[in-house]
Amino acid sequence: MGLKASRIRVPRLAEHHDPAAAALCTRAAAGDQGAWDDIVERYAPLVYAICSRYRLASHDIEDVGQTVWLLLVEHLAKLREP
């Protein structure tokens, strides 16, 4: 049902180095709520789109999204390449 792993293109880090994203991550890790809001606003459509490509049910998409954000909260300070 889902996409085969071979069809998913994994970009190189250099292709996605985004100083604005790095700054948001730094601010969010320091407790800036506005930065968190900006991260969610910026990346929620991407999370939703990826889940949708796997044809997940809407309730599963919500669960995956919540898990993504929880993992980000737990590991934000440990990111090497925001």
Side-chain angles (χ1 to χ4, degrees):
M1 243 203 218
L3 293 176
K4 293 181 181 178
S6 63
R7 292 185 62 202
I8 299 174
R9 182 177 168 269
V10 178
R12 294 183 199 147
L13 289 176
E15 291 178 24
H16 286 305
H17 179 69
D18 182 354
L24 283 174
C25 289
T26 300
R27 289 177 30 222
D32 183 334
Q33 183 62 48
W36 276 111
D37 295 342
D38 290 346
I39 289 170
V40 172
E41 183 177 330
R42 185 175 186 173
Y43 293 104
L46 176 63
V47 172
Y48 178 80
I50 291 170
C51 292
S52 295
R53 290 195 67 181
Y54 279 93
R55 299 182 184 171
L56 299 177
S58 61
H59 64 275
D60 290 330
I61 291 173
E62 291 175 23
D63 288 345
V64 170
Q66 288 179 358
T67 301
V68 166
W69 299 121
L70 177 61
L71 288 169
L72 181 60
V73 168
E74 291 175 347
H75 299 284
L76 184 61
K78 300 174 194 171
L79 291 179
R80 291 184 305 239
E81 297 285 337

